[in-house]
Amino acid sequence: MVLPGDQARLYRPRPELLPAAHVPSLPHYQRLYQRSVEEPHEFWGDIAKEFYWKRQHTGPFLKYNFDVTKGKIFIEWMKGATTNICYNLLDRNVNDKKLGDKVAFYWEGNEPGDYTKITYSELLQKVCQFANVLRSQGVKKGDRVSIYLPMILELVIAMLACARIGALHSVVFAGFSADSLCERILDCGCSLLITADAFYRGDKLVNLKQIADEAIRKCKDKGCSLKKCIVVKHLGREEIAVDGTSSKSPPLKRLCQDVQAPWNPAMDMWWHELMGGASKECEPEWCDAEDELFILYTSGSTGKPKGVLHTVGGYMIFAATSFKYVFDYQPEDVYWCTADIGWITGHSYLTYGPLANGATSVLFEGVPTYPDVGRMWSIIDKYKVTKFYTAPTAIRLLMKYGEEPVKKYSRKSLKVLGTVGEPINPEAWLWYYRVVGEERCPIVDTFWQTETGGHMLTPLPAATPMKPGSATFPFFGVVPAILSESGEELEGEAEGYLVFKQPWPGIMRTLYGKHQQFETVYFKKFPGYYVTGDGCRRDKDGYYWITGRIDDMLNVSGHLLSTAEVESALLEHEAVAEAAVVSHPHPLKGECLYCFVTLREGHEFTKNLTDELKKQVREKIGPIATPDYIQYAPSLPKTRSGKITRRILRKIAKNDQDLGDISTLADPGIIKQLFNSRCDTKQ
Ligand code: WTA
């Protein structure tokens, strides 16, 4: 429940955090920030010195062009310097910092009781072994390797092994379909795929190898270059006793299942068999700071995924630095990011950022509601998690079950909470703050994108007074601006397009093999700026509020409205569990609001409720925002990473059955139900 005054209030960092904090006050942040944008060469140059460089950089630290009217867009940080990111994450921590015995990951399986851990030196050894395996399979610097694995340690090992030998990894989320995997394999032209037999997500068995095989068949029909497939035996792991990574727990459901992975002897190889014969020493490939590190696909507005490309040096220092400051990383921390490694958050803040800092993390295979809705809090208590990073969609899901499952656990180890992925509505923010963090933990609402590589707008836990729902201020090196439709920079209180004015080290360098599309999507609309595609408001205190994707903006009778704002108003009603609002054509107003709502248990969808909701939005935002249509939704169509697919909801509102590709949805079945219960829009 959001009370009047809750949102206007500033939530200040608690004094306990200050003594050890990297940035203990707002003026301290402002000083560092000023230096980072005025003297980026010196600021990032000092940070780069903490890393190992085989060859130090000489010449300009940063070269770039952000203006399409002046020629090709390019960004180069420290070009000419050579390093290896895997060496910096592992060898440097083991050999120079003596962190060999420190736990790198506590792995928690889908079933409670199925767990293990791996130290930095064990991880280094396995990565070296697998890097040797890759080399023995003919993988070289610059080659692409697709990785289609669940949340298991082999996923991290495989990524770092690629990085060690200078090959590019393209991780494909293990919830994606065969079609999506095939599309990504074809686009990056990889020669090798790494997958697993099968895994459980909650109580659902996913036969991953079967799906991978189907993808490979589809690829072959399209003349693809894929030659080999390495398969991790995950469900039968205990029998093979991979040293150091097998759990010593009693027989588990995972192990009792007799899953026969389909096998093609011409291309399939078992991971454990290859590892058995591999040497534990592996000389890293020394790469230029601007050599390619990985490709990660993200959805594009056309429906075709875009292969975002990140490079070695800039990404390394940006992921490491943002992790350190945004979570105020301390050596004794146990950090847990719930994102899947198939998304950028899992790359930057589960793999590269934490390991670069020598941190101990939790890697969780399962889902928040299995075997019950207290699972997250039980894991926090089990590992004494201090920093916890999750998504608003997970918070809203758990909110539905009330406070009792949270309060069953102590959570007293928690110090900092984080969110990412979408705007967090104030009600969810306040629940996270009050119930989960017991008003003790600051919330870092981190705004960023696959393309930005790391955090762009975010509070720092001990420095920034927070406002629920605002991502607050720019991170170091980030210069935001708000532009009007005509490209004019708006000062002070304003709302418009969020852009960035100068490069930060973690910015993507191109779309893999599609540089022209890269320029068009991100740099053409407003020459001289990187365009995020998000709308943003700056309030009188200079706080930034993301209002949602620009394509989620709508214009009602000449007034610009953000669907996120209306959703937030709906969510404040006690009956509403989730809300999604889309724009709908209207003969008089141009566009109007069509809302989908899911209800909390114990509430019914009645005419009375619809009237109350309309009134609520009218009161919260103004008569202009009064919804024309409110439809009951048993659930909402979402991508597997939990993002509501408003593109599809717009089509449902219009009764347009031409939906395009829906294979990336978590539950395509809901769509038919929503079409059948549409509001009558012909009145
Ligand atoms: C949205 C995820 C509001 C935004 C790291 C962005 C957010 C898109 C936030 C990128 C936030 C992410 N507040 N909106 N804290 N974080 N977004 O590429 O629309 O999966 O453009 O990267 O998510 O999603 P992506």
Side-chain angles (χ1 to χ4, degrees):
M1 180 81 165
V2 183
L3 300 170
D6 278 349
Q7 265 177 274
R9 203 186 118 185
L10 278 180
Y11 292 77
R12 296 189 186 277
R14 298 269 295 214
E16 306 90 271
L17 279 175
L18 307 185
H22 297 299
V23 185
S25 70
L26 199 58
H28 192 128
Y29 154 75
Q30 284 157 344
R31 272 199 308 280
L32 283 171
Y33 174 73
Q34 228 41 46
R35 177 161 185 256
S36 76
V37 297
E38 283 165 13
E39 302 167 6
H41 302 221
E42 292 76 5
F43 181 88
W44 295 109
D46 284 350
I47 288 172
K49 284 184 198 135
E50 294 165 25
F51 293 86
Y52 177 79
W53 302 89
K54 184 79 173 169
R55 186 170 71 224
Q56 293 290 336
H57 102 279
T58 51
F61 199 73
L62 163 66
K63 276 175 72 181
Y64 75 100
N65 172 40
F66 251 29
D67 189 341
V68 269
T69 63
K70 296 198 174 128
K72 190 176 161 184
I73 301 291
F74 74 97
I75 304 113
E76 292 171 355
W77 287 87
M78 300 172 285
K79 194 172 167 76
T82 60
T83 188
N84 182 281
I85 191 167
C86 173
Y87 184 92
N88 273 289
L89 266 49
L90 300 180
D91 308 59
R92 185 178 61 107
N93 280 326
V94 171
N95 300 328
D96 306 348
K97 306 215 157 169
K98 307 290 176 230
L99 296 178
D101 293 334
K102 189 171 179 185
V103 172
F105 289 105
Y106 290 111
W107 180 78
E108 172 80 11
N110 182 62
E111 292 292 321
D114 188 12
Y115 56 91
T116 182
K117 62 184 177 208
I118 189 164
T119 64
Y120 271 85
S121 52
E122 287 164 349
L123 186 58
L124 171 59
Q125 222 179 64
K126 291 205 171 295
V127 167
C128 285
Q129 279 181 289
F130 195 64
N132 286 325
V133 167
L134 290 176
R135 276 188 177 148
S136 71
Q137 295 303 320
V139 180
K140 311 177 296 306
K141 180 165 188 274
D143 288 353
R144 279 81 54 214
V145 173
S146 290
I147 305 179
Y148 185 56
L149 285 174
M151 289 282 280
I152 56 178
L153 292 170
E154 284 81 356
L155 173 48
V156 176
I157 295 168
M159 289 162 82
L160 297 182
C162 288
R164 194 167 189 89
I165 63 170
L168 286 71
H169 55 73
S170 161
V171 179
V172 180
F173 174 55
F176 273 137
S177 64
D179 281 320
S180 307
L181 175 60
C182 165
E183 189 171 20
R184 285 157 177 78
I185 288 175
L186 290 174
D187 190 82
C188 75
C190 65
S191 54
L192 190 139
L193 172 70
I194 303 165
T195 188
D197 50 359
F199 68 101
Y200 275 96
R201 243 182 103 68
D203 48 20
K204 192 169 150 236
L205 177 69
V206 182
N207 277 309
L208 202 63
K209 178 65 165 57
Q210 256 174 34
I211 305 171
D213 279 3
E214 197 186 325
I216 293 170
R217 255 193 317 278
K218 287 176 190 267
C219 287
K220 287 261 149 76
D221 293 345
K222 295 179 180 160
C224 103
S225 54
L226 188 72
K227 292 189 187 60
K228 289 178 178 146
C229 180
I230 298 180
V231 188
V232 177
K233 191 167 188 174
H234 177 49
L235 285 193
R237 189 182 299 273
E238 192 79 41
E239 299 150 38
I240 55 172
V242 180
D243 60 292
T245 59
S246 78
S247 60
K248 302 284 176 282
S249 28
L252 296 160
K253 185 163 153 195
R254 183 186 93 193
L255 310 169
C256 301
Q257 281 292 328
D258 184 21
V259 177
Q260 287 295 321
W263 204 255
N264 170 8
M267 69 186 289
D268 294 344
M269 293 165 289
W270 283 115
W271 169 292
H272 58 278
E273 289 180 4
L274 296 168
M275 286 287 268
S279 155
K280 293 176 178 157
E281 312 250 306
C282 174
E283 175 66 11
E285 184 81 37
W286 299 107
C287 301
D288 192 282
E290 278 302 330
D291 278 346
E292 299 153 325
L293 174 62
F294 67 79
I295 302 167
L296 183 59
Y297 288 88
T298 182
S299 36
S301 51
T302 57
K304 265 215 155 300
K306 301 176 292 192
V308 169
L309 185 117
H310 285 285
T311 53
V312 173
Y315 177 81
M316 175 171 77
I317 60 175
F318 198 65
T321 308
S322 48
F323 175 79
K324 172 178 161 184
Y325 286 100
V326 173
F327 298 105
D328 191 37
Y329 170 67
Q330 305 290 338
E332 64 282 4
D333 276 336
V334 177
Y335 163 83
W336 181 20
C337 164
T338 65
D340 194 286
I341 295 180
W343 313 114
I344 191 68
T345 307
H347 281 56
S348 301
Y349 299 113
L350 221 166
T351 310
Y352 289 103
L355 291 175
N357 283 276
T360 295
S361 302
V362 175
L363 177 62
F364 176 44
E365 183 191 23
V367 294
T369 48
Y370 181 84
D372 59 57
V373 297
R375 186 73 190 277
M376 309 269 256
W377 325 119
S378 86
I379 294 173
I380 288 174
D381 278 4
K382 177 173 176 184
Y383 297 104
K384 306 207 167 23
V385 171
T386 54
K387 314 276 161 89
F388 178 62
Y389 193 29
T390 194
T393 178
I395 299 166
R396 285 199 300 267
L397 170 75
L398 295 173
M399 250 172 96
K400 268 200 344 195
Y401 300 98
E403 300 182 10
E404 194 258 336
V406 189
K407 296 209 158 142
K408 253 174 73 185
Y409 298 91
S410 118
R411 292 156 286 113
K412 69 174 187 297
S413 53
L414 286 175
K415 290 187 175 153
V416 175
L417 301 173
T419 74
V420 57
E422 53 178 318
I424 181 164
N425 51 300
E427 199 188 8
W429 193 101
L430 287 163
W431 189 83
Y432 199 27
Y433 184 73
R434 288 184 180 143
V435 180
V436 178
E438 294 178 330
E439 306 195 13
R440 189 179 70 238
C441 309
I443 295 179
V444 287
D445 174 359
T446 59
F447 165 83
W448 60 296
Q449 306 177 301
T450 305
E451 294 87 338
T452 69
H455 300 142
M456 301 305 281
L457 302 175
T458 174
L460 299 183
T464 316
M466 296 159 287
K467 295 190 183 188
S470 165
T472 74
F473 302 126
F475 184 65
F476 302 143
V478 173
V479 186
I482 295 180
L483 301 188
S484 68
E485 184 64 47
S486 61
E488 187 196 345
E489 270 191 42
L490 304 172
E491 303 293 333
E493 265 184 89
E495 180 159 351
Y497 293 87
L498 177 67
V499 298
F500 297 114
K501 294 169 72 165
Q502 65 188 48
W504 58 99
I507 185 177
M508 68 190 295
R509 303 302 195 259
T510 190
L511 288 173
Y512 186 71
K514 299 196 171 77
H515 197 73
Q516 205 178 353
Q517 189 190 356
F518 165 70
E519 296 183 333
T520 310
V521 174
Y522 303 100
F523 293 93
K524 205 149 195 173
K525 187 169 173 70
F526 300 118
Y529 301 95
Y530 166 86
V531 181
T532 60
D534 283 293
C536 186
R537 179 166 69 80
R538 188 170 42 225
D539 70 15
K540 62 181 185 340
D541 303 318
Y543 280 68
Y544 289 87
W545 301 74
I546 302 295
T547 53
R549 301 291 304 178
I550 297 290
D551 42 14
D552 294 335
M553 296 276 249
L554 68 164
N555 196 320
V556 180
S557 310
H559 296 266
L560 212 53
L561 269 180
S562 114
T563 53
E565 229 177 330
V566 181
E567 286 166 9
S568 183
L570 289 168
L571 285 165
E572 280 176 31
H573 192 284
E574 56 169 10
V576 178
E578 276 209 293
V581 175
V582 295
S583 113
H584 189 69
H586 189 279
L588 289 179
K589 306 180 200 175
E591 290 175 78
C592 68
L593 291 153
Y594 193 118
C595 314
F596 295 83
V597 293
T598 69
L599 300 185
R600 286 176 197 259
E601 257 158 271
H603 291 276
E604 265 194 51
F605 192 76
T606 56
K607 164 93 176 53
N608 208 357
L609 177 64
T610 319
D611 291 344
E612 271 182 42
L613 292 176
K614 287 186 179 173
K615 183 160 162 269
Q616 163 125 353
V617 178
R618 202 162 45 235
E619 280 175 359
K620 197 80 203 155
I621 305 172
I624 194 74
T626 310
D628 283 50
Y629 306 105
I630 301 185
Q631 176 177 345
Y632 169 69
S635 71
L636 293 170
K638 289 183 182 169
T639 64
R640 291 167 205 249
S641 66
K643 282 202 169 67
I644 297 168
T645 43
R646 291 181 180 73
R647 173 179 76 83
I648 286 173
L649 291 175
R650 267 194 291 275
K651 298 233 171 177
I652 292 170
K654 277 198 228 156
N655 206 10
D656 174 357
Q657 309 267 348
D658 181 15
L659 295 177
D661 179 17
I662 55 165
S663 67
T664 56
L665 292 188
D667 174 20
I670 186 64
I671 291 175
K672 193 156 178 238
Q673 287 185 49
L674 291 178
F675 267 114
N676 289 340
S677 54
R678 283 182 62 256
C679 299
D680 180 5
T681 51
K682 291 217 182 65
Q683 308 148 354

